[in-house]
Amino acid sequence: MLTWYQWLILGVVPPLILSLYFLKLRRVPLEVPSTYLWTKTVEDMHVNSIWQRLRKNLLLWLQLLVVLILMIACLRPGCTGEELAGDRFIFLVDKSASMSATDTKTGITRLEEAKNQIYTLIDRMKSSDAAMVISFSDTEGVDQSYTKNKGTLKRKVKSIEATQQGSDLNRALIAATGLANPGRTSDKFSNTDVQVADALAATMFIFSDGAIKNVSKYAPGELTTIYQPVGAVTPVSNIGITTFSVNDQLDTGGSVEAFVRLQNSGFEPKTVGVSLFIGDQLTDADTVTIPGREISEDNLSLGANDRLADIDQSPPGGLSLKFDLTTVAAVLESAAPIRFKIDEPDEYLLDNEAFCVLNPARLTNILVVTDYNPALKLASSTDRLKKIANIEFAERKFLEDKEYQTNAALGVYDLVIFDQCSPKTMPACNTVFFAALPPGDDWKFTKDLEITPIIYTNSSHPVMFDVQMQSVSILNGQLIEGPKGNTSLVESIDGPVVAIGPRSGFEDIVVGFPMILYEEDGDTPYNTDWHKKPSFPFFMQNIIRTLGSGARFNSLRANRPGNSVKIKPRYPYEEIDVKNPKGRNQSIKQQPNKTFVYNQAEETGIYSVSEKGSKEVDQLFAVNLLDRLESDIAVRDELKLGYEAIKGNPTREPARRDFWTLLAFFALAALTLEWIVYNRRVFI
Amino acid sequence: MANVAPSKKNSSDEPLLSPALLAQLERMELVSRKIFRGRMKGERRSKRKGQSVEFADFRNYVAGDDLRFIDWNMYARLDKLFLKLFMEEEDLHFYTLIDVSPSMQFGSPTKFQYAKQLAGALGYIGLCRADRVKIEALDGSRNSNAPTLRGRSSLWQLVDHLERMESKSTVTMTEAVKAFCLRNTGKGILVLITDLMDKSGYEEALKYLVARDLDIYLIHVLSQEEIDPDINGDLKLVDCEDQDIAEISVSQRLIDRYKQTLASFIEQARDFSSRRGIVYTMTSTERSVDRLVSRYLRQRGLVR
C-alpha cells in the first residue's frame, strides 16, 4: 500500500499533465485570407473551449490514461481464489469401495465427483505449476509423477478406477511426503553425508470421504495438507454388511451357523429386508430394523449437520443376525456358496451383498509321530476332537516310510506333530515339534534349562487361547531361537520355550521340552506335569483347530478385495484355474511350497478353484468387503493424520492474483499508441 | 503539421487571356436586363429615338423639328405634318470592379489572378461589341486611373491595365464602392468580382451599387483552400488583412462546422443579392474562366 506522500505525488501527476498541456506553446501560425469564417465557426465553441480542446485532444487523453493505469497498477489490484497458491501439488485420490457411493449432489459417484474437483484444480494451475496424482485404496500407486502437462494429469486422473477395497492412507502419505521432503534423513552437519535434495514445498489435496484407517504416523514436513471431503452434504442412511461368516465346526462341535452383522450409518433407525441364499436357492429371509447411530447426550440437542461434524463421537448402529445352517450343511455334498443380501438398494451398493462358502463336514488329517506318549494320545482322543479330526498315530520309523514321504510331499496331512523326532524334509503342512528341531538352520536350541518356572504365556495368540501355563513345572528343557518373524508363545525366566514361526505359507511350532523322557533303561518318566493340567488338552485342541484347518484354509479366512489369496487345493495339482465372480478364468502355477497365490481377487464374490482344464470344482473361496469404515459412508469432516486433525472444506488459501503486470502492459500499449499518434498525427 | 499555405501569385507566367479564350469570347455579347442610355452611338438599341434604319414611331411635327425626318408621303395623303421616328442604337457602360484586398492573394491560382482573368474576358466581350468597358480596382482612391475603353483595338490597353493592377488595398469594401459610385455616374452593367471577405460586411457596399440602378452581377470568388480547408493540428490562424488571430484545434467536427458556416455565408450573400436584383454567382478558382463565362455566366444571363 502507498503512504500518504506517495499518494500525494501520484495525485499531482494528472493536474500537472493538464497544466502542461494548456501551457504548451505548440500552435503553428498559419496565414489565412480571413479569420472571418473561422471566428464565426469557433464562436459557439468558445463558450466551452477548454473542454472542447480537452475533448478533442487524443494525446492528452492518452497521457492521462497512461498515468491512470500506472496509478491503478501502483495500488496493486488483485482478486482472490481463482488460481491455486503454490507451485507443486499432489492430488491424493481415494479409490476405495466407499468412494463408489452415489450420494453426491449430482448423483454421480464420489470418485467421479472427486475427479471433477481435481479437473477444476488442474485448470486453475498456473502454467509453471507441477502436480502429481496418487490414488490409493488398500494399496497406493503413483499414477502420475510430477508434471506440468495439464492434459497428461487430466488423462491420468480420468484413468483412476474405483476399487472394491478398503482404504489405507499410510503408504500413500509416505509416498507423497517422501517426494516433498526428500532429504529428511540426511544429516546436514555431517561432512560425510551428501545431501540428497532440497525439500520442495508442495500442497497435497486429499480427496476422500474420510473413511480411512487412522494414520498413526504422519510428518508432513514441507507438505501442506488440504482435505477435500467428497460425498453427501446431508447425513445418509446406508445399511451395510460388516460381518458375514460361517463358523468353524471345530468351534461349535458340529453345528453350523452363519453370522451377519449389519451396520446403519444414518441417524435414523431403518428397516430392511434381508435374504440368505445357498447356491441360488433362497434359504432364509427376514425383515429387520437396524438402529441408527448412537447419539451421545451432549449431541442430542444438535442439528443433523452438527451431529455430522462430530460423527466420530456417534458410532454407527448395528444389528447381529444368526442363521442356523446345520441341517443344510449336513446334506451338503460339496462346497456351496452362501450369499447374504440386503434387499433395499441404497446409495452404496457394494456392501449390500456378502459371500461365504459353506463346506461339507470333513475331518482334518492329523499325523502324530511318536514312539510313546500317552499324554499326547489322551489329549488327542477327546470326543470333541474325534468329531473334527482324523488323528493317525505312527512311530518315528514311519518317517522313513515311502507312504509318509509321498503323503507329506503331496500335502495329504493338514498337521503333523513330531514328538522328539524330525523329518529329513519338512512336510507340506503345518507342524508341531516336541523337543526336536525342524531340519535346517532356522530353528536353534540355545541353552539347556533345568527346573525352570514359566513366567509368560502369549495368550493373545490363538494357539494359546485359554492355555494357562504359569503353574506348569518343567524339569529339563531348552531355550528356543526361531526363524525371522517367529512369535514366542511361552517364556521361562531365561527366554522362550515354545515358539511359532512361519515357513513359506505354513506355520511350525517348536516346544523346547519333551513331555516324556526316554531313558536308557527304558523308563519313560514325565518331564513335566503339563499333561495333568487342563491347559494341555486346550493347547492340543487349539493346535488342531488353528493349524489343522487344512482345506478350509481359504473358505474360513476373510479374504479382502485386492489382497492376494493363498490357495491350497485338496489335491496337489501342478496348475489350477481360478474363476472369478464374473466368470473369467486365470491359470496359476504351483509355488515351490505346493501352494498357489492368486493376485486378482479384485472383486467381491465367490471364486472357484479347479484343476487346470477340469470342470470339477476343488474348492470355493469368498472375497468380501466387510469393512466397517467403508460401510460407514458418512463423510468425515475431519481427517486424523497422526496427531494432526485436518479439517475438511478448508477455506482454501486465497491465491492472490495480481493484475499489475496486465495494467503495466496496458500502460505500455497506451504509450505506444500515444507515440504513434504523436508521430503520425492521427486525429479523430 | 502540414500546413497548406496558400500560394501567393501576383502575376502568372501564363498570358492573362489566351488566344483560344479570345476567339471564344468574340462570339459572345454582354446582355443587360435594362436598357440604358448610352453616351455614344453604339450597337445597342437605345431608349432614345435616333437615326438607325429601324422605324420606331410617328409623332406630330412641332416647330423646330428637323425637317429631314418629316414623312412627306403622310403629308401628301393626310395633309398633316408627321415626323418619322427611328430607333436609336447606342453603346453600353460595362464596369468591372475587382476586389484588391490582400485576401484575394490566396488560392491557386490566386483569387486576384482569377478575378483579373475574368474581368479581362468580360471586358473583351464588351470591347468586341463596342461597349464602354471600364475595369476598376476597389482600392478606394478618388481618382481612378482606369481607362474607359471602346473597340476591339483597345484590348492591349485593357490587358496592360489589368497587369498593372495590384492587390494591396486596405480600405473596406464599402468605402471603395462608395468612392467608385462618386466617380462614375454612368448607367450600365456592373460586375463585382470579390471574395466578400470583409469583416465590416459587404451589404453596405452592395446597397450603394443598387442605389445606382445598375445592372449588377456579383461574382463571389473563393479559393479551394477556403471551400475545403486541408489543415490539421493546433493552429494559430492569422488574418492577412488585419492580423487578427483565431486559435483552433482542427478536428473533423470543426471542419464540418466551418463548412456549415461557409455554406450559410454563401446562402446569405445569395439571398441578400437576389432580394436586391443582383445576380449572384459563386465560383471557385479551380473552375476555369472560359468555363465560368461560357456556361455559368451565360446561364445567369450576363452573356449570350
Side-chain angles (χ1 to χ4, degrees):
Chain A
M1 243 339 159
L2 301 181
T3 54
W4 67 269
Y5 62 85
Q6 286 169 325
W7 272 112
L8 196 69
I9 293 168
L10 266 183
V12 163
V13 173
L16 202 66
I17 290 176
L18 270 177
S19 53
L20 280 177
Y21 175 74
F22 284 121
L23 287 174
K24 70 175 179 178
L25 300 169
R26 217 168 42 77
R27 283 194 184 280
V28 177
L30 177 70
E31 197 172 40
V32 288
S34 173
T35 53
Y36 178 61
L37 287 176
W38 286 110
T39 316
K40 278 184 95 172
T41 302
V42 296
E43 221 163 37
D44 62 330
M45 291 178 159
H46 274 170
V47 181
N48 50 5
S49 60
I50 290 179
W51 307 116
Q52 294 291 347
R53 285 157 77 174
L54 289 181
R55 195 166 71 86
K56 288 296 166 190
N57 199 285
L58 187 60
L59 273 180
L60 174 72
W61 286 113
L62 283 173
Q63 282 168 11
L64 285 176
L65 183 69
V66 171
V67 171
L68 189 72
I69 292 172
L70 289 177
M71 281 170 77
I72 295 171
C74 283
L75 293 177
R76 201 182 161 224
C79 72
T80 53
E82 279 303 304
E83 248 170 31
L84 285 175
D87 51 10
R88 295 172 84 82
F89 305 97
I90 301 169
F91 299 118
L92 224 63
V93 192
D94 186 351
K95 57 174 178 181
S96 66
S98 58
M99 290 294 280
S100 48
T102 55
D103 58 340
T104 51
K105 277 179 191 167
T106 46
I108 55 174
T109 64
R110 290 177 177 181
L111 184 64
E112 291 301 321
E113 171 73 22
K115 283 182 183 179
N116 290 342
Q117 288 187 23
I118 297 173
Y119 295 150
T120 314
L121 288 180
I122 291 173
D123 285 336
R124 286 179 182 174
M125 277 167 58
K126 297 189 284 287
S127 56
S128 58
D129 290 349
M132 70 186 290
V133 181
I134 300 175
S135 61
F136 69 94
S137 53
D138 269 350
T139 55
E140 97 292 344
V142 177
D143 296 73
Q144 174 62 52
S145 53
Y146 276 123
T147 181
K148 292 177 181 175
N149 187 331
K150 293 185 180 182
T152 309
L153 282 170
K154 281 187 183 174
R155 231 177 8 258
K156 292 293 176 178
V157 171
K158 196 177 179 185
S159 68
I160 296 172
E161 283 182 0
T163 63
Q164 298 188 359
Q165 303 168 12
S167 42
D168 184 359
L169 190 53
N170 272 310
R171 279 188 288 179
L173 282 179
I174 289 167
T177 50
L179 285 162
N181 312 300
R184 258 199 305 184
T185 52
S186 58
D187 180 5
K188 272 188 182 178
F189 303 103
S190 166
N191 292 330
T192 55
D193 189 10
V194 180
Q195 288 286 304
V196 183
D198 288 332
L200 288 168
T203 308
M204 177 169 68
F205 291 91
I206 302 177
F207 290 89
S208 172
D209 48 16
I212 288 171
K213 280 179 196 156
N214 276 345
V215 178
S216 52
K217 285 181 186 170
Y218 175 59
E222 294 290 324
L223 208 59
T224 312
T225 312
I226 294 171
Y227 166 46
Q228 296 282 131
V230 186
V233 283
T234 51
V236 289
S237 172
N238 174 51
I239 307 297
I241 304 166
T242 56
T243 307
F244 181 48
S245 66
V246 175
N247 72 321
D248 191 346
Q249 295 165 45
L250 298 176
D251 281 336
T252 51
S255 70
V256 181
E257 286 173 332
F259 292 101
V260 181
R261 185 161 176 85
L262 298 174
Q263 178 179 281
N264 180 2
S265 55
F267 281 97
E268 301 300 323
K270 200 168 177 187
T271 305
V272 291
V274 291
S275 319
L276 184 78
F277 296 85
I278 295 182
D280 294 328
Q281 189 86 38
L282 177 65
T283 310
D284 208 342
D286 202 354
T287 303
V288 292
T289 302
I290 304 110
R293 277 177 183 277
E294 287 174 26
I295 302 166
S296 63
E297 286 182 15
D298 299 344
N299 287 350
L300 268 177
S301 57
L302 296 177
N305 282 326
D306 293 326
R307 282 183 198 165
L308 198 66
D310 205 13
I311 198 104
D312 288 334
Q313 301 301 315
S314 314
L319 181 74
S320 295
L321 301 172
K322 199 193 275 182
F323 298 90
D324 191 349
L325 303 173
T326 313
T327 49
V328 181
V331 295
L332 215 58
E333 287 178 354
S334 62
I338 316 180
R339 184 160 64 97
F340 184 79
K341 189 173 159 243
I342 299 171
D343 297 335
E344 280 79 11
D346 52 24
E347 280 152 341
Y348 181 43
L349 294 171
L350 281 178
D351 63 356
N352 286 6
E353 251 183 334
F355 306 90
C356 208
V357 175
L358 183 63
N359 286 301
R362 179 180 86 84
L363 297 179
T364 302
N365 287 326
I366 293 168
L367 175 68
V368 183
V369 185
T370 179
D371 282 354
Y372 172 74
N373 196 337
L376 208 56
K377 209 161 195 170
L378 191 67
S380 313
S381 312
T382 58
D383 288 347
R384 189 167 176 162
L385 284 184
K386 272 183 183 169
K387 276 186 187 169
I388 60 166
N390 174 22
I391 303 173
E392 190 184 326
F393 287 86
E395 291 190 351
R396 286 189 282 187
K397 61 186 178 193
F398 181 61
L399 294 182
E400 309 296 326
D401 202 304
K402 216 161 192 180
E403 186 194 348
Y404 161 74
Q405 285 167 3
T406 312
N407 287 352
L410 292 179
V412 171
Y413 304 116
D414 296 309
L415 173 70
V416 181
I417 300 170
F418 298 96
D419 182 28
Q420 298 186 54
C421 60
S422 72
K424 283 177 185 161
T425 52
M426 289 297 278
C429 63
N430 298 324
T431 58
V432 178
F433 287 82
F434 279 96
L437 289 174
D441 300 328
D442 287 343
W443 292 89
K444 280 175 200 148
F445 289 137
T446 53
K447 191 183 171 188
D448 288 342
L449 298 172
E450 288 183 358
I451 309 175
T452 177
I454 305 293
I455 58 159
Y456 169 71
T457 310
N458 185 356
S459 53
S460 64
H461 198 279
V463 169
M464 302 307 286
F465 188 64
D466 278 346
V467 178
Q468 296 297 325
M469 291 193 63
Q470 271 81 350
S471 60
V472 174
S473 305
I474 299 163
L475 289 177
N476 295 310
Q478 273 161 317
L479 282 188
I480 301 162
E481 190 186 298
K484 208 175 174 187
N486 75 91
T487 311
S488 165
L489 298 177
V490 180
E491 285 185 16
S492 73
I493 200 159
D494 294 309
V497 288
V498 181
I500 183 165
R503 169 178 48 96
S504 56
F506 301 111
E507 283 180 305
D508 304 318
I509 294 177
V510 175
V511 180
F513 55 90
M515 299 291 291
I516 284 180
L517 294 172
Y518 299 131
E519 291 189 344
E520 286 178 1
D521 56 1
D523 202 2
T524 51
Y526 280 97
N527 182 40
T528 168
D529 61 351
W530 194 14
H531 64 284
K532 292 181 182 169
K533 310 282 181 190
S535 57
F536 186 64
F538 274 127
F539 178 70
M540 289 306 291
Q541 189 179 314
N542 286 349
I543 286 174
I544 290 167
R545 271 178 50 194
T546 312
L547 303 182
S549 306
R552 287 191 292 273
F553 186 77
N554 293 309
S555 53
L556 297 178
R557 195 155 294 185
N559 294 307
R560 300 282 304 273
N563 290 1
S564 59
V565 179
K566 201 164 279 177
I567 301 164
K568 190 185 171 212
R570 283 186 295 177
Y571 303 103
Y573 304 127
E574 293 290 319
E575 206 169 344
I576 56 166
D577 282 338
V578 181
K579 194 155 97 178
N580 75 358
K582 284 188 176 162
R584 201 161 59 86
N585 262 324
Q586 195 193 353
S587 297
I588 312 170
K589 284 191 174 160
Q590 197 183 40
Q591 302 271 317
N593 62 2
K594 316 283 184 203
T595 59
F596 297 86
V597 177
Y598 180 61
N599 289 321
Q600 303 292 317
E602 303 286 350
E603 291 163 36
T604 60
I606 301 287
Y607 292 70
S608 69
V609 180
S610 57
E611 191 189 2
K612 184 171 170 62
S614 163
K615 285 186 176 174
E616 193 184 338
V617 176
D618 178 85
Q619 60 176 284
L620 301 171
F621 65 91
V623 173
N624 280 313
L625 183 62
L626 302 181
D627 189 318
R628 277 194 304 116
L629 267 175
E630 295 296 323
S631 288
D632 185 3
I633 64 167
V635 178
R636 292 348 179 253
D637 194 36
E638 200 174 69
L639 204 60
K640 287 196 178 96
L641 301 179
Y643 298 107
E644 209 176 334
I646 294 165
K647 274 269 176 200
N649 268 337
T651 44
R652 204 172 290 155
E653 190 185 337
R656 191 181 164 76
R657 187 173 180 172
D658 280 328
F659 293 131
W660 72 266
T661 43
L662 199 66
L663 287 169
F665 173 76
F666 283 142
L668 197 67
L671 205 64
T672 312
L673 191 65
E674 190 188 331
W675 184 82
I676 292 168
V677 167
Y678 182 76
N679 283 283
R680 295 273 183 88
R681 304 179 199 290
V682 177
F683 289 95
I684 302 167
Chain B
M1 236 160 270
N3 293 312
V4 185
S7 60
K8 293 186 177 183
K9 282 197 277 185
N10 269 335
S11 61
S12 171
D13 293 337
E14 295 168 23
L16 201 63
L17 298 168
S18 67
L21 176 62
L22 289 176
Q24 195 183 350
L25 295 173
E26 275 175 9
R27 295 193 296 273
M28 292 185 179
E29 184 187 355
L30 292 171
V31 181
S32 172
R33 290 168 297 162
K34 300 171 180 175
I35 297 170
F36 299 107
R37 289 180 67 180
R39 277 197 190 162
M40 299 170 78
K41 185 152 176 69
E43 293 182 357
R44 290 170 193 282
R45 205 168 58 175
S46 171
K47 268 186 180 176
R48 287 187 290 197
K49 304 294 176 285
Q51 294 172 343
S52 73
V53 291
E54 195 176 347
F55 173 79
D57 202 358
F58 295 98
R59 74 166 167 82
N60 289 330
Y61 173 78
V62 289
D65 280 340
D66 194 341
L67 296 176
R68 285 178 295 177
F69 295 108
I70 291 172
D71 191 340
W72 295 109
N73 292 332
M74 289 290 278
Y75 178 71
R77 242 188 288 161
L78 301 172
D79 201 18
K80 276 186 179 174
L81 285 171
F82 284 102
L83 224 59
K84 216 160 73 173
L85 299 179
F86 293 93
M87 295 301 289
E88 174 69 313
E89 286 187 333
E90 286 185 335
D91 62 351
L92 180 73
H93 283 280
F94 179 70
Y95 298 104
T96 307
L97 294 181
I98 298 176
D99 185 353
V100 288
S101 64
S103 65
M104 289 294 283
Q105 285 293 359
F106 286 82
S108 176
T110 63
K111 290 185 275 182
F112 186 55
Q113 177 71 13
Y114 189 84
K116 285 201 287 189
Q117 257 186 322
L118 182 59
L122 292 175
Y124 183 67
I125 296 173
L127 289 181
C128 289
R129 296 292 170 189
D131 291 329
R132 291 161 68 88
V133 176
K134 193 170 187 182
I135 299 174
E136 276 201 36
L138 274 177
D139 55 4
S141 63
R142 288 185 180 274
N143 300 310
S144 169
N145 57 357
T148 306
L149 304 169
R150 270 193 90 188
R152 195 173 295 189
S153 57
S154 305
L155 177 64
W156 69 271
Q157 275 181 293
L158 181 113
V159 172
D160 183 53
H161 172 63
L162 282 174
E163 282 184 345
R164 276 189 285 109
M165 201 178 277
E166 284 180 3
S167 68
K168 51 188 177 183
S169 165
T170 52
V171 296
T172 63
M173 198 163 136
T174 314
E175 282 174 30
V177 168
K178 200 172 165 185
F180 166 80
C181 290
L182 289 172
R183 276 202 312 273
N184 298 285
T185 51
K187 298 233 165 69
I189 302 172
L190 184 135
V191 176
L192 176 59
I193 306 171
T194 176
D195 57 5
L196 294 179
M197 292 296 175
D198 193 323
K199 282 183 184 155
S200 60
Y202 56 85
E203 292 88 349
E204 204 65 24
L206 293 185
K207 277 180 190 168
Y208 273 113
L209 292 177
V210 170
R212 283 286 314 280
D213 198 20
L214 289 162
D215 190 3
I216 306 167
Y217 288 84
L218 173 60
I219 297 173
H220 188 184
V221 185
L222 289 173
S223 66
Q224 192 58 30
E225 288 84 347
E226 286 168 308
I227 294 168
D228 189 10
D230 182 21
I231 51 172
N232 51 35
D234 294 320
L235 297 176
K236 189 167 74 178
L237 301 181
V238 184
D239 194 312
C240 66
E241 290 179 11
D242 57 4
Q243 306 303 310
D244 181 31
I245 286 172
E247 287 190 348
I248 58 162
S249 293
V250 181
S251 64
Q252 191 54 51
R253 188 167 162 270
L254 184 79
I255 296 291
D256 291 345
R257 197 162 187 94
Y258 170 81
K259 284 181 179 172
Q260 278 176 18
T261 310
L262 179 67
S264 87
F265 176 69
I266 291 169
E267 195 50 44
Q268 256 181 354
R270 191 195 306 280
D271 189 51
F272 184 86
S273 305
S274 58
R275 279 170 189 274
R276 286 159 182 79
I278 300 171
V279 177
Y280 173 89
T281 304
M282 201 286 287
T283 184
S284 154
T285 52
E286 303 265 297
R287 189 182 288 156
S288 67
V289 170
D290 60 334
R291 193 174 166 77
L292 176 73
V293 173
S294 61
R295 178 172 293 183
Y296 291 92
L297 292 182
R298 182 174 271 176
Q299 278 175 4
R300 299 288 188 282
L302 178 62
V303 293
R304 70 177 172 207

